[in-house]
Amino acid sequence: MLNTANVERQTIKGNGYEIKPSLDHDRLYEIEFDHEVVKRFFEEVKTISSQQLDYIPYMRFIMTEKLVTLLDGDFQKTVRGILHDRSSGGFTVGVNGYTNDKEEYVKFSTAFSHLVGIPNFDAMSGNYYARFSVKHTDDSDSYLRQAYRLFTLHTDGTYVDEPTDWLLMMKFGEKHAVGGRSRLLHLDDWEDLEHYYHHPLATQKLVYKAPPSKNVVKEVFRTTFYERNNEPCMCFIDQFVHPSTIEEATYLKDLSHSMENSSETKGVDLPEGKLVMLNNHFWLHGREAFEENPDLRRELLRQRGRFA
């Protein structure tokens, strides 16, 4: 596949914001707001509680409305364009150190998720978003909360039968955390994509089943590769796919090993109060292991959903 990472990307300056190529990854953009925009946004939404966002779906769009009215008319179109752009498909943005209030982090992330679409119901949390912690000890049934294990590359929404076009992750806070960077791989950067995309098992339907903690009992059938806009896309997570033959298992194991060892799988730091949004069709993500510390704690928020 053509590697489009070197497509020249320009800095875009708008009313109250700047969008520029990220220094952390050569495919991502970084959105920076003027300090006054962040200040006015949180002033505008201070009377809206996170409970209202939980209970009243239309209030989530009010978050977006409060943000976009502080900016020019091109902002929403530009952000959506980045997520659909195959050469990028992702960006980071933060609150610029204005606040460390977790209620305000929920509002900020909600403004961005509803800028591009509608989040799926997250059965694990029973809400449109999930907040979870990674700590020193863990007795969960997946890698999500296991701090000292490599969280292998995957896409989201593999075990639900609804579109999962995009993913949003925001860091709420951490203490005594060394390591644990986000690991990202854009599908077009993967050296072995051609081999696995054209493999006879690439379009074989496989069973995906979630562990009990996900609160989803339905089995779904998905192919590992599919096309959107005549481009290869991927659905994969090693923990939840259940092959039915040795050949399928070997294909999946080799595929995962190849991605994990790709020179294009890169670690990215996500500071507190910052989020990353990715196109879930052609970005894979994971997490490095943390260095062991009994006082380790990190809290994250996740939203994922469909494009408008």
Side-chain angles (χ1 to χ4, degrees):
M1 293 296 165
L2 176 65
N3 186 311
T4 55
N6 293 323
V7 173
E8 186 176 357
R9 291 175 293 138
Q10 303 294 325
T11 295
I12 302 168
K13 293 186 177 181
N15 179 28
Y17 65 92
E18 181 176 274
I19 303 176
K20 57 188 180 182
S22 170
L23 298 177
D24 296 321
H25 195 291
D26 56 10
R27 284 193 182 272
L28 297 177
Y29 284 91
E30 181 173 4
I31 300 173
E32 289 188 354
F33 290 124
D34 293 350
H35 183 79
E36 186 62 23
V37 167
V38 179
K39 178 175 180 288
R40 288 183 60 192
F41 170 74
F42 285 118
E43 287 175 348
E44 289 284 330
V45 302
K46 65 182 179 182
T47 60
I48 302 173
S49 68
S50 60
Q51 186 182 69
Q52 286 178 287
L53 297 180
D54 294 348
Y55 291 176
I56 309 171
Y58 68 72
M59 293 302 294
R60 304 165 195 170
F61 284 98
I62 300 303
M63 293 295 101
T64 300
E65 187 267 340
K66 296 295 187 183
L67 178 63
V68 296
T69 54
L70 299 173
L71 307 167
D72 61 40
D74 292 330
F75 181 74
Q76 184 173 23
K77 180 180 178 181
T78 301
V79 170
R80 289 181 172 182
I82 290 171
L83 287 176
H84 285 279
D85 176 13
R86 179 77 183 201
S87 70
S88 174
F91 64 85
T92 61
V93 62
V95 299
N96 297 348
Y98 178 81
T99 179
N100 58 6
D101 186 327
K102 295 176 182 179
E103 294 283 297
E104 293 185 330
Y105 288 171
V106 172
K107 297 176 186 181
F108 187 76
S109 65
T110 299
F112 267 90
S113 62
H114 288 74
L115 190 72
V116 303
I118 302 174
N120 296 337
F121 176 75
D122 196 308
M124 187 179 80
S125 65
N127 207 336
Y128 72 96
Y129 63 88
R131 286 172 59 176
F132 54 90
S133 296
V134 179
K135 299 180 292 184
H136 175 63
T137 57
D138 173 77
D139 59 358
S140 67
D141 54 12
S142 76
Y143 293 161
L144 182 64
R145 294 184 175 89
Q146 295 183 14
Y148 307 126
R149 182 190 294 272
L150 178 74
F151 193 1
T152 46
L153 291 167
H154 61 282
T155 59
D156 265 29
T158 56
Y159 55 83
V160 296
D161 58 355
E162 56 190 340
T164 307
D165 297 321
W166 53 262
L167 167 71
L168 180 155
M169 297 177 288
M170 185 172 189
K171 185 181 289 184
F172 272 31
E174 63 182 8
K175 293 181 179 179
H176 308 288
V178 178
R181 293 187 303 171
S182 296
R183 302 171 67 243
L184 303 177
L185 176 64
H186 189 290
L187 205 55
D188 292 346
D189 295 334
W190 180 25
E191 303 90 339
D192 293 334
L193 173 61
E194 287 282 353
H195 170 73
Y196 289 100
Y197 178 61
H198 292 292
H199 192 282
L201 293 176
T203 55
Q204 173 71 34
K205 286 190 175 182
L206 303 173
V207 177
Y208 277 87
K209 295 187 287 188
S213 66
K214 305 299 183 183
N215 296 324
V216 176
V217 296
K218 185 177 181 179
E219 295 182 358
V220 297
F221 294 84
R222 295 190 179 279
T223 62
T224 306
F225 289 98
Y226 58 96
E227 286 191 359
R228 284 175 64 94
N229 301 319
N230 297 316
E231 297 280 1
C233 297
M234 193 174 188
C235 172
F236 174 74
I237 186 168
D238 57 3
Q239 301 168 73
F240 307 148
V241 59
H242 291 256
S244 57
T245 66
I246 293 174
E247 289 77 16
E248 290 174 358
T250 300
Y251 172 70
L252 295 170
K253 176 180 177 294
D254 291 347
L255 173 150
S256 181
H257 179 80
S258 172
M259 293 192 299
E260 295 300 329
N261 290 279
S262 169
S263 62
E264 296 298 328
T265 296
K266 299 176 181 178
V268 175
D269 286 311
L270 193 66
E272 181 179 341
K274 199 166 191 177
L275 64 82
V276 58
M277 287 196 79
L278 300 170
N279 188 308
N280 190 56
H281 296 290
F282 50 79
W283 275 101
L284 293 106
H285 64 282
R287 187 188 65 229
E288 296 176 348
F290 290 90
E291 290 187 14
E292 188 167 346
N293 189 316
D295 298 317
L296 167 69
R297 184 175 180 86
R298 173 184 284 178
E299 185 178 4
L300 296 169
L301 174 142
R302 177 188 67 206
Q303 296 187 51
R304 53 197 180 191
R306 64 186 186 274
F307 287 127

